[in-house]
Amino acid sequence: MDIAANGAIAAAYFIIPLTLLPLLLTARRDIWLNLLLMMMFIFSCGVGHTLSAMHFHNAFWHWVTAGVSWAAVLTLLTSQTRLRYLGETFNLLEATWEQALTGKLLCQRVGDDLTMIKLNPAARVITKGLLKPGDRLCEKMPTHRQRVYPYQVSLIELYLAALESGEPKRLEYQYKGEISGWYMTLVTPLSPELLYMTFTEVSGVIHDPLTGLYNRRVLEMELEAWEVCLFIDLDRFKLINDQRGHYLGDELLKAVAGVLQDHAQTHNGIAVRNGGDEFLLLLPDSNPMPPEPCPMPVAIATSVLEAILAIEIEGASVGASIGVASGTIDAFEEDTSINRLLQAAETALREAKRNRRSNSPQHRIQVWNYNLARRRLRQITLEAYLEQRSSEAEFWLAYQPICNMTTGAIVGAEALIRWDSTHLGRVSPSEFIPVAEATGLVHRISDWVLCHALEQLAQWQEIAPQFTLSVNISPLELEDDDFLERVMERVMGAGIASNHFGIEITERGIYNNLDRYLQGLQGLRDMSLRLKVDDFGMGQSGLAQLLQFRFDEVKVDRFFIPTNAQNLEKVAICRAIANLSEGINFSLVAEGIEQASQRDLMLSLNYTYGQGYLFSRPMTAANLTTLLREGTCLAAL
Ligand code: C2E
Ligand code: MG
Ligand code: MG
């Protein structure tokens, strides 16, 4: 009896430690020792009972049992704080589990499906009570839709892949049915069998509501290490949007989005609306889905371009420019690899946009290359130096006279900024003004020009009261809220006759914001400043816009000035503009007159005023002061 009872107790003592084995296998290392000792303690009690049952009173074995028991007691006593923390960690886990806003699930793999073990209240809410413990997850959840990255892979495959790799995976899927929306799931395998998932609804967060494509935020998610980036910008889109209305504009954008989504799906990448009329196509290096190997990025870009050009809605169509970058980009070192890829593609795109010759792929698609990298580096350098306040001390204004071409009398001048950088030498405004425009530094520069030019004009008006001076401003200025106020303040402060101060503006960039542009021009007109279109003929506008903006003066670009009467086209264009100037009443200046023959020809076409190397190159203020004082005439007839 004694033996049987003791034996039964001993058996229980042997089994109890075994029930703790799963805990030992899954618990954190911190408590391994505690668990092990506890198991050994119980086990040694079992040994003790066995010995008693067998009346085997061996002092040695009793001492061993006692030793193990006390070791356990001591270790457990010394690890009280650690255990307390551990307990609190459990509480914390429980709290984040219960109170989290993200849905959390614990699933176990059973065959080719996952059985739900536990889900938190948020998960119940998000899934609208459709899921409960014991449910088969993949059976219950519809597979994600086809047009969502990663394509054509069922959810269970993705989950199993995560389980097999042992690595956390981020999945994103759209689901339509009892529940609909876009969800992002983080899948973390806890053991070969156990999967922990958190999920949040991201509808509207990473998607563009109009086109249904991803928006820029998706780039932060690092879905994949993208190797190829196509940066697409629509040509003439703003014009269509302004002239034909936003509804048509939206339809065109949706059609373009459709083209990009198709390409993204074919090449296993994603399509992103970067904002406005800019899109991105991000593709992996090679097509992981055999048998088709991934075509060259340029071939994909060409196909995208052709598909976009083929779009026609209510007679309206758009063009596109595409910048392509692929592989490892070693410029822009400080940036992440995805940003480098984007920057490279964007730089290539800007280059493609500069080249407006035709709609053919060789003009509209530009691949990032070493030359672009060099140019980009130069831009970054210019940017860095321009940003330094000290660079203002390196600016000065050159003045190029504008003459009455018959008499050679100087009637006015144009102020042209010069930058003699101590680090870079002389940098042309054609090079640094675009950089300043891109970085917003142009506002500071314009203000500097305005101040100095006005100060100079005040002095010259004392010598020659009818003298007019003009400055160049970037079209971007007109979008700056403070610009008009600043001009007003400066003009008033200078004490000059404002109708002798001119603002030259090119039509570049008008379409970024047509209303603002018109508003800005009106503001300048209200101050009775002279408004001049610069480089007329080179921009996108033309005669219709000329009427709309009511400029006071048109400066015909050097490109259109004929060198002899045999340049029939140029002669015809200049004549047409001259006829128009009589009709709508604006004055004319011929730019870039270099030869006497050009001056004569322009005079015969009824142009009175001219500017160019024939009369004078841009000069210092001191030199022009001397000319004005002496009443010098330049290259008179
Ligand atoms: P722009 O306003 O059309 O200025 C005329 C440009 O043509 C000047 O170049 C001038 O030196 C050059 N030029 C004048 N006559 C002749 C000629 O007979 N033959 C040739 N080949 N060229 C001639 P510059 O000074 O290099 O300025 C280039 C452009 O930079 C300007 O074109 C203007 O758009 C911009 N720019 C200059 N200063 C400023 C400024 O203060 N602010 C802004 N926003 N832009 C400026
Ligand atoms: Mg100018
Ligand atoms: Mg010009």
Side-chain angles (χ1 to χ4, degrees):
M1 185 60 211
D2 196 23
I3 295 180
N6 263 328
I9 296 170
Y13 273 125
F14 287 133
I15 293 166
I16 288 171
L18 296 179
T19 62
L20 292 175
L21 262 177
L23 197 59
L24 189 68
L25 288 177
T26 53
R28 285 174 56 92
R29 275 160 206 240
D30 303 18
I31 58 160
W32 272 7
L33 188 63
N34 297 40
L35 273 173
L36 223 85
L37 281 168
M38 217 145 76
M39 286 162 72
M40 282 179 70
F41 170 65
I42 303 171
F43 200 76
S44 68
C45 291
V47 172
H49 272 282
T50 313
L51 294 177
S52 302
M54 293 166 69
H55 299 290
F56 187 73
H57 296 289
N58 182 317
F60 173 75
W61 282 111
H62 277 291
W63 278 116
V64 170
T65 323
V68 171
S69 309
W70 276 100
V73 169
L74 286 177
T75 320
L76 290 173
L77 277 177
T78 52
S79 62
Q80 284 302 295
T81 339
R82 203 149 29 101
L83 285 181
R84 215 186 71 222
Y85 281 144
L86 207 70
E88 275 159 14
T89 311
F90 282 131
N91 287 340
L92 186 75
L93 270 180
E94 198 61 29
T96 53
W97 178 268
E98 288 297 319
Q99 288 153 27
L101 295 176
T102 30
K104 299 181 184 206
L105 303 178
L106 208 55
C107 299
Q108 188 174 17
R109 178 184 183 165
V110 178
D112 263 356
D113 207 337
L114 296 167
T115 301
M116 178 95 65
I117 300 175
K118 205 175 164 190
L119 73 167
N120 75 343
R124 279 179 217 274
V125 174
I126 294 173
T127 59
K128 299 197 174 139
L130 282 178
L131 288 179
K132 51 184 190 309
D135 277 350
R136 296 240 167 164
L137 192 65
C138 299
E139 194 183 284
K140 227 167 173 181
M141 282 164 68
T143 48
H144 59 118
R145 286 215 325 186
Q146 291 288 296
R147 281 169 86 87
V148 177
Y149 184 85
Y151 308 97
Q152 292 140 357
V153 185
S154 71
L155 274 183
I156 183 66
E157 282 175 60
L158 292 170
Y159 291 153
L160 293 184
L163 267 179
E164 257 147 42
S165 68
E167 300 270 314
K169 265 202 165 47
R170 198 145 41 177
L171 309 174
E172 210 252 307
Y173 55 91
Q174 183 184 28
Y175 150 24
K176 267 192 163 176
E178 289 119 313
I179 315 161
S180 60
W182 296 82
Y183 294 89
M184 197 178 77
T185 312
L186 189 70
V187 184
T188 316
L190 298 177
S191 72
E193 298 285 290
L194 219 54
L195 209 62
Y196 170 60
M197 271 190 254
T198 59
F199 60 96
T200 351
E201 193 178 347
V202 289
S203 318
V205 179
I206 55 164
H207 295 95
D208 170 50
L210 177 72
T211 58
L213 297 185
Y214 287 106
N215 64 23
R216 260 196 85 88
R217 290 214 190 139
V218 75
L219 303 177
E220 292 154 22
M221 283 175 37
E222 292 168 16
L223 286 174
E224 187 87 39
W226 304 114
E227 285 282 328
V228 178
C229 174
L230 269 56
F231 207 125
I232 299 123
D233 185 294
L234 303 185
D235 298 333
R236 298 190 308 276
F237 178 73
K238 293 204 169 77
L239 197 66
I240 294 173
N241 216 20
D242 283 343
Q243 295 183 343
R244 306 270 319 259
H246 289 259
Y247 173 75
L248 185 67
D250 286 355
E251 291 305 304
L252 280 171
L253 286 177
K254 281 193 243 173
V256 171
V259 166
L260 293 178
Q261 183 58 46
D262 287 343
H263 281 82
Q265 212 171 329
T266 316
H267 303 294
N268 206 34
I270 59 170
V272 180
R273 181 173 179 205
N274 195 40
D277 60 350
E278 285 184 353
F279 297 88
L280 301 168
L281 198 59
L282 293 165
L283 311 173
D285 184 18
S286 55
N287 198 329
M289 276 174 228
E292 276 177 64
C294 190
M296 298 288 290
V298 176
I300 301 176
T302 310
S303 153
V304 168
L305 180 68
E306 278 163 3
I308 292 179
L309 290 175
I311 295 172
E312 197 190 308
I313 299 173
E314 294 175 24
S317 60
V318 281
S321 305
I322 305 180
V324 181
S326 57
T328 319
I329 307 287
D330 40 20
F332 326 116
E333 275 152 19
E334 69 288 2
D335 240 328
T336 57
S337 59
I338 177 78
N339 279 346
R340 280 191 234 175
L341 197 63
L342 286 178
Q343 282 209 50
E346 189 173 2
T347 311
L349 170 71
R350 299 290 156 240
E351 187 60 24
K353 290 230 96 157
R354 275 157 48 108
N355 188 355
R356 287 186 177 277
R357 270 179 290 171
S358 82
N359 265 340
S360 71
Q362 84 251 35
H363 289 146
R364 302 266 48 87
I365 296 170
Q366 175 70 52
V367 182
W368 162 260
N369 61 33
Y370 185 66
N371 274 341
L372 288 180
R374 252 200 338 234
R375 197 174 307 161
R376 173 73 199 160
L377 194 69
R378 167 88 176 162
Q379 278 176 359
I380 292 173
T381 318
L382 289 180
E383 217 174 284
Y385 284 118
L386 271 181
E387 226 158 55
Q388 294 174 1
R389 274 267 164 194
S390 55
S391 62
E392 275 180 23
E394 299 165 349
F395 290 150
W396 59 278
L397 286 179
Y399 297 91
Q400 189 177 30
I402 295 170
C403 294
N404 177 316
M405 292 197 282
T406 320
T407 62
I410 301 172
V411 296
E414 173 179 7
L416 295 161
I417 194 167
R418 295 289 174 260
W419 179 20
D420 290 337
S421 162
T422 28
H423 303 280
L424 309 166
R426 159 103 26 123
V427 188
S428 153
S430 319
E431 190 182 6
F432 74 81
I433 293 288
V435 175
E437 283 177 343
T439 52
L441 288 165
V442 75
H443 302 305
R444 220 175 72 203
I445 296 179
S446 279
D447 198 41
W448 185 93
V449 171
L450 211 57
C451 277
H452 289 76
L454 280 164
E455 206 174 291
Q456 190 59 59
L457 177 61
Q459 291 178 22
W460 283 334
Q461 281 195 336
E462 283 175 18
I463 310 172
Q466 292 309 312
F467 183 86
T468 63
L469 181 67
S470 55
V471 294
N472 294 282
I473 65 155
S474 132
L476 276 181
E477 293 290 335
L478 294 180
E479 288 177 26
D480 180 18
D481 284 332
D482 307 329
F483 176 68
L484 289 178
E485 249 172 67
R486 223 166 45 217
V487 174
M488 173 106 75
E489 203 176 290
R490 301 271 185 236
V491 171
M492 307 269 268
I496 49 125
S498 57
N499 59 343
H500 285 187
F501 188 60
I503 300 278
E504 292 189 14
I505 187 156
T506 61
E507 328 100 301
R508 257 179 320 118
I510 287 182
Y511 297 109
N512 285 342
N513 202 335
L514 196 66
D515 294 341
R516 284 293 279 283
Y517 192 86
L518 281 169
Q519 245 175 23
L521 284 180
Q522 190 54 49
L524 293 172
R525 183 167 295 114
D526 292 344
M527 285 181 242
S528 43
L529 299 174
R530 256 184 105 67
L531 292 189
K532 310 186 177 196
V533 208
D534 202 354
D535 307 341
F536 183 69
M538 297 305 276
Q540 308 161 349
S541 64
L543 302 181
Q545 269 69 33
L546 202 60
L547 284 171
Q548 195 175 3
F549 298 143
R550 291 190 288 121
F551 284 101
D552 301 300
E553 186 175 310
V554 168
K555 298 184 79 175
V556 179
D557 193 79
R558 176 156 67 89
F559 179 81
F560 295 101
I561 307 296
T563 33
N564 56 55
Q566 273 70 57
N567 289 153
L568 295 179
E569 278 178 18
K570 291 184 178 176
V571 169
I573 291 172
C574 287
R575 180 172 292 131
I577 300 174
N579 288 341
L580 204 68
S581 82
E582 281 166 21
I584 351 180
N585 203 16
F586 53 79
S587 62
L588 283 172
V589 173
E591 286 192 294
I593 302 286
E594 290 181 352
Q595 302 155 18
S597 62
Q598 288 178 312
R599 175 200 55 196
D600 301 342
L601 206 56
M602 293 314 281
L603 274 171
S604 73
L605 290 169
N606 277 342
Y607 285 67
T608 316
Y609 304 106
Q611 174 184 359
Y613 294 168
L614 174 70
F615 307 103
S616 166
R617 293 197 170 240
M619 60 177 81
T620 60
N623 284 348
L624 187 53
T625 309
T626 315
L627 292 183
L628 287 177
R629 280 229 165 83
E630 292 169 358
T632 315
C633 289
L634 302 165
L637 200 59

